[in-house]
Amino acid sequence: MRHKIPCFCDNTFTVDAPEEIDLDAEPRYVEDIIAGNFMNFVCTSCGKKHKPEFPITVKWNSKGAVLEVLPELDRGLFYRRKEEKKSAFTGALIGYPELAERIAVLRDGLKVEVVEAIKYYLLLKADEAYPDEEISVWYQHRADSSLEFHIHGIKKEEVAVMRVPLTLYEKTLADFKKNPKSEPFSLLRVKNYVSIQNVLRPDELK
Ligand SMILES: [Zn+2]
Protein backbone atom coordinates (compact mmCIF):
# COMPACT_ATOMS: atom_id res chain seq x y z
CA MET A 1 0.00 0.00 0.00
CA ARG A 2 1.21 3.50 -0.79
CA HIS A 3 1.57 6.00 2.04
CA LYS A 4 2.51 9.67 2.09
CA ILE A 5 5.14 10.65 4.64
CA PRO A 6 5.40 14.34 5.55
CA CYS A 7 8.89 15.45 6.57
CA PHE A 8 9.87 18.36 8.81
CA CYS A 9 11.68 19.88 5.82
CA ASP A 10 8.23 20.45 4.17
CA ASN A 11 8.82 17.71 1.63
CA THR A 12 6.18 15.00 1.42
CA PHE A 13 7.21 11.76 -0.21
CA THR A 14 5.37 8.58 -1.10
CA VAL A 15 6.47 5.11 -0.05
CA ASP A 16 5.27 1.64 -0.90
CA ALA A 17 4.84 -0.49 2.23
CA PRO A 18 3.73 -4.14 2.34
CA GLU A 19 0.50 -4.96 4.21
CA GLU A 20 1.66 -8.48 4.89
CA ILE A 21 5.03 -10.20 5.09
CA ASP A 22 5.91 -13.87 5.40
CA LEU A 23 9.09 -14.53 7.35
CA ASP A 24 9.40 -18.11 6.08
CA ALA A 25 9.35 -16.90 2.48
CA GLU A 26 11.52 -13.84 3.17
CA PRO A 27 13.76 -14.61 6.15
CA ARG A 28 15.82 -11.46 5.54
CA TYR A 29 13.08 -9.56 7.33
CA VAL A 30 13.82 -11.34 10.62
CA GLU A 31 17.07 -9.52 11.39
CA ASP A 32 15.77 -6.29 9.82
CA ILE A 33 12.84 -6.26 12.24
CA ILE A 34 14.95 -7.17 15.28
CA ALA A 35 17.54 -4.51 14.43
CA GLY A 36 14.83 -1.85 13.98
CA ASN A 37 15.66 -1.42 10.30
CA PHE A 38 12.30 -2.62 9.03
CA MET A 39 10.07 0.04 7.40
CA ASN A 40 12.66 2.77 7.62
CA PHE A 41 12.34 5.39 4.92
CA VAL A 42 14.65 8.24 3.97
CA CYS A 43 13.27 11.65 2.98
CA THR A 44 13.90 12.22 -0.70
CA SER A 45 14.77 15.85 -0.07
CA CYS A 46 16.75 16.18 3.20
CA GLY A 47 17.78 12.56 3.84
CA LYS A 48 16.22 12.34 7.30
CA LYS A 49 15.34 8.80 8.35
CA HIS A 50 11.65 8.18 9.15
CA LYS A 51 10.31 5.20 11.08
CA PRO A 52 6.56 5.30 10.58
CA GLU A 53 4.40 2.49 11.98
CA PHE A 54 1.95 1.16 9.40
CA PRO A 55 -0.41 -1.67 10.32
CA ILE A 56 0.92 -4.97 9.01
CA THR A 57 0.34 -8.70 9.21
CA VAL A 58 3.47 -10.69 9.98
CA LYS A 59 3.22 -14.38 9.17
CA TRP A 60 5.72 -16.88 10.48
CA ASN A 61 4.02 -20.22 10.00
CA SER A 62 7.03 -22.30 11.02
CA LYS A 63 6.79 -20.59 14.43
CA GLY A 64 3.00 -20.91 14.52
CA ALA A 65 2.56 -17.16 14.34
CA VAL A 66 0.24 -14.90 12.37
CA LEU A 67 0.61 -11.53 14.04
CA GLU A 68 -1.55 -8.47 13.72
CA VAL A 69 0.74 -5.49 14.24
CA LEU A 70 -0.90 -2.18 15.07
CA PRO A 71 0.75 1.23 15.32
CA GLU A 72 1.39 2.55 18.82
CA LEU A 73 -1.08 5.33 17.95
CA ASP A 74 -3.89 2.74 17.78
CA ARG A 75 -3.30 1.38 21.30
CA GLY A 76 -6.48 3.00 22.67
CA LEU A 77 -8.47 1.77 19.69
CA PHE A 78 -7.30 -1.80 20.32
CA TYR A 79 -8.67 -1.87 23.88
CA ARG A 80 -11.98 -0.33 22.82
CA ARG A 81 -12.73 -2.58 19.87
CA LYS A 82 -14.73 -5.79 20.23
CA GLU A 83 -12.96 -9.11 20.27
CA GLU A 84 -13.45 -11.11 17.09
CA LYS A 85 -14.78 -14.58 17.76
CA LYS A 86 -12.86 -16.14 14.91
CA SER A 87 -9.67 -14.24 14.32
CA ALA A 88 -7.12 -15.34 11.76
CA PHE A 89 -4.43 -13.92 14.04
CA THR A 90 -2.60 -15.91 16.69
CA GLY A 91 -1.70 -12.68 18.46
CA ALA A 92 -1.70 -8.91 18.38
CA LEU A 93 1.21 -6.54 18.93
CA ILE A 94 1.14 -2.79 19.36
CA GLY A 95 4.06 -0.73 18.10
CA TYR A 96 7.13 -1.82 16.16
CA PRO A 97 9.39 -2.13 19.25
CA GLU A 98 7.04 -4.89 20.46
CA LEU A 99 7.22 -6.48 17.02
CA ALA A 100 11.04 -6.47 17.13
CA GLU A 101 11.05 -8.05 20.58
CA ARG A 102 8.42 -10.67 19.71
CA ILE A 103 10.30 -11.78 16.59
CA ALA A 104 13.41 -12.29 18.77
CA VAL A 105 11.35 -14.35 21.26
CA LEU A 106 9.95 -16.53 18.45
CA ARG A 107 13.37 -16.83 16.78
CA ASP A 108 14.78 -18.16 20.06
CA GLY A 109 11.96 -20.68 20.45
CA LEU A 110 10.64 -19.23 23.72
CA LYS A 111 7.10 -19.12 25.10
CA VAL A 112 5.72 -15.59 24.83
CA GLU A 113 3.71 -15.70 28.09
CA VAL A 114 6.77 -16.85 30.03
CA VAL A 115 9.06 -14.15 28.65
CA GLU A 116 6.46 -11.48 29.44
CA ALA A 117 6.10 -12.89 32.98
CA ILE A 118 9.88 -12.68 33.52
CA LYS A 119 9.82 -9.08 32.23
CA TYR A 120 7.07 -8.39 34.75
CA TYR A 121 9.19 -9.74 37.64
CA LEU A 122 12.22 -7.74 36.46
CA LEU A 123 10.14 -4.59 36.19
CA LEU A 124 8.73 -5.03 39.70
CA LYS A 125 12.26 -5.34 41.06
CA ALA A 126 13.55 -2.34 39.10
CA ASP A 127 10.54 -0.24 40.12
CA GLU A 128 11.24 -1.04 43.74
CA ALA A 129 14.85 0.07 43.41
CA TYR A 130 14.10 3.13 41.25
CA PRO A 131 10.56 4.22 42.09
CA ASP A 132 10.88 7.63 40.42
CA GLU A 133 12.09 6.44 37.03
CA GLU A 134 10.03 5.32 34.07
CA ILE A 135 11.49 1.91 33.43
CA SER A 136 10.90 -0.56 30.60
CA VAL A 137 12.23 -4.07 30.10
CA TRP A 138 12.94 -5.67 26.72
CA TYR A 139 13.96 -9.21 25.78
CA GLN A 140 17.15 -9.36 23.69
CA HIS A 141 18.43 -12.87 23.06
CA ARG A 142 19.14 -16.28 24.41
CA ALA A 143 22.65 -17.37 25.39
CA ASP A 144 23.79 -20.86 26.43
CA SER A 145 22.46 -20.79 29.96
CA SER A 146 20.67 -17.45 30.25
CA LEU A 147 18.25 -15.02 28.66
CA GLU A 148 19.38 -11.44 28.21
CA PHE A 149 17.10 -8.49 28.89
CA HIS A 150 17.70 -4.76 28.56
CA ILE A 151 16.36 -2.38 31.16
CA HIS A 152 15.78 1.16 29.94
CA GLY A 153 15.21 4.23 32.09
CA ILE A 154 17.36 3.59 35.17
CA LYS A 155 19.87 6.14 33.92
CA LYS A 156 19.39 8.52 31.02
CA GLU A 157 20.83 7.24 27.73
CA GLU A 158 22.02 4.07 29.42
CA VAL A 159 20.80 0.53 29.14
CA ALA A 160 21.26 -1.97 31.95
CA VAL A 161 21.84 -5.57 30.90
CA MET A 162 20.16 -8.26 32.97
CA ARG A 163 20.83 -11.96 32.54
CA VAL A 164 18.22 -14.38 33.78
CA PRO A 165 19.27 -18.03 34.19
CA LEU A 166 17.53 -20.47 31.84
CA THR A 167 16.57 -22.47 34.94
CA LEU A 168 14.27 -19.60 35.99
CA TYR A 169 12.72 -19.62 32.51
CA GLU A 170 12.17 -23.38 32.75
CA LYS A 171 10.62 -23.03 36.20
CA THR A 172 8.29 -20.25 35.03
CA LEU A 173 7.40 -22.32 31.96
CA ALA A 174 6.46 -25.24 34.23
CA ASP A 175 4.29 -22.87 36.33
CA PHE A 176 2.60 -21.60 33.18
CA LYS A 177 1.89 -25.09 31.87
CA LYS A 178 0.47 -26.17 35.20
CA ASN A 179 -1.80 -23.17 35.63
CA PRO A 180 -1.91 -20.81 32.65
CA LYS A 181 -4.73 -18.75 34.16
CA SER A 182 -2.87 -17.93 37.37
CA GLU A 183 -1.12 -14.64 38.06
CA PRO A 184 0.90 -13.08 36.61
CA PHE A 185 -0.02 -14.83 33.33
CA SER A 186 -3.69 -13.78 33.56
CA LEU A 187 -2.66 -10.13 34.00
CA LEU A 188 -0.49 -10.20 30.89
CA ARG A 189 -3.23 -11.12 28.42
CA VAL A 190 -6.08 -9.01 27.00
CA LYS A 191 -7.91 -10.75 24.15
CA ASN A 192 -5.16 -12.14 21.90
CA TYR A 193 -2.64 -9.54 23.06
CA VAL A 194 -0.01 -10.86 25.46
CA SER A 195 2.17 -8.05 26.74
CA ILE A 196 3.50 -6.49 29.91
CA GLN A 197 1.82 -3.34 28.58
CA ASN A 198 -1.53 -4.80 29.65
CA VAL A 199 -0.40 -4.50 33.27
CA LEU A 200 1.08 -1.05 32.82
CA ARG A 201 -1.79 0.57 30.91
CA PRO A 202 -3.47 3.58 32.48
CA ASP A 203 -6.94 3.24 34.00
CA GLU A 204 -8.66 4.86 31.02
CA LEU A 205 -7.59 1.88 28.87
CA LYS A 206 -9.01 -0.70 31.28
ZN1 LIG B 1 12.95 15.87 4.66
Side-chain angles (χ1 to χ4, degrees):
M1 193 175 166
R2 292 176 80 73
H3 298 269
K4 282 198 159 82
I5 299 181
C7 186
F8 297 113
C9 73
D10 279 345
N11 177 40
T12 294
F13 58 105
T14 306
V15 300
D16 216 353
E19 282 159 84
E20 182 179 301
I21 56 171
D22 179 339
L23 300 185
D24 289 314
E26 293 182 276
R28 67 190 167 92
Y29 281 130
V30 172
E31 287 313 313
D32 271 3
I33 291 172
I34 292 171
N37 298 329
F38 177 62
M39 292 269 208
N40 290 358
F41 301 98
V42 172
C43 172
T44 49
S45 171
C46 73
K48 183 189 154 47
K49 194 200 278 179
H50 290 254
K51 300 178 128 203
E53 291 189 342
F54 303 124
I56 188 168
T57 299
V58 178
K59 283 187 165 173
W60 205 358
N61 285 328
S62 63
K63 303 285 185 186
V66 182
L67 302 168
E68 177 187 28
V69 184
L70 301 167
E72 185 59 47
L73 285 170
D74 286 348
R75 183 172 289 277
L77 199 73
F78 172 80
Y79 286 107
R80 285 192 300 273
R81 81 181 185 190
K82 280 210 179 104
E83 184 167 15
E84 286 176 51
K85 280 260 155 29
K86 270 195 176 170
S87 170
F89 299 111
T90 59
L93 293 169
I94 306 176
Y96 280 24
E98 274 197 350
L99 171 64
E101 179 187 52
R102 184 61 49 88
I103 295 304
V105 169
L106 294 173
R107 172 200 62 190
D108 294 348
L110 301 170
K111 189 92 184 144
V112 169
E113 286 87 345
V114 176
V115 173
E116 293 298 314
I118 291 172
K119 285 166 59 186
Y120 178 63
Y121 297 139
L122 292 176
L123 186 73
L124 286 182
K125 262 196 198 168
D127 265 344
E128 225 170 75
Y130 306 93
D132 298 330
E133 310 301 330
E134 198 165 304
I135 293 168
S136 63
V137 181
W138 298 90
Y139 174 75
Q140 296 299 307
H141 62 88
R142 176 180 191 155
D144 287 341
S145 59
S146 64
L147 304 180
E148 190 176 305
F149 293 82
H150 282 183
I151 303 186
H152 295 241
I154 291 175
K155 275 189 189 166
K156 268 207 168 60
E157 313 287 323
E158 263 182 52
V159 171
V161 176
M162 185 73 96
R163 286 187 188 86
V164 169
L166 258 187
T167 47
L168 179 74
Y169 171 83
E170 300 293 350
K171 188 195 166 298
T172 313
L173 179 63
D175 290 346
F176 174 68
K177 283 183 173 165
K178 212 195 285 172
N179 201 349
K181 292 199 169 128
S182 64
E183 286 190 10
F185 309 113
S186 58
L187 306 173
L188 296 165
R189 171 183 287 274
V190 172
K191 299 183 264 192
N192 65 348
Y193 178 44
V194 176
S195 168
I196 194 172
Q197 294 303 326
N198 288 323
V199 185
L200 304 176
R201 72 196 142 130
D203 284 339
E204 61 262 29
L205 292 182
K206 283 181 183 162

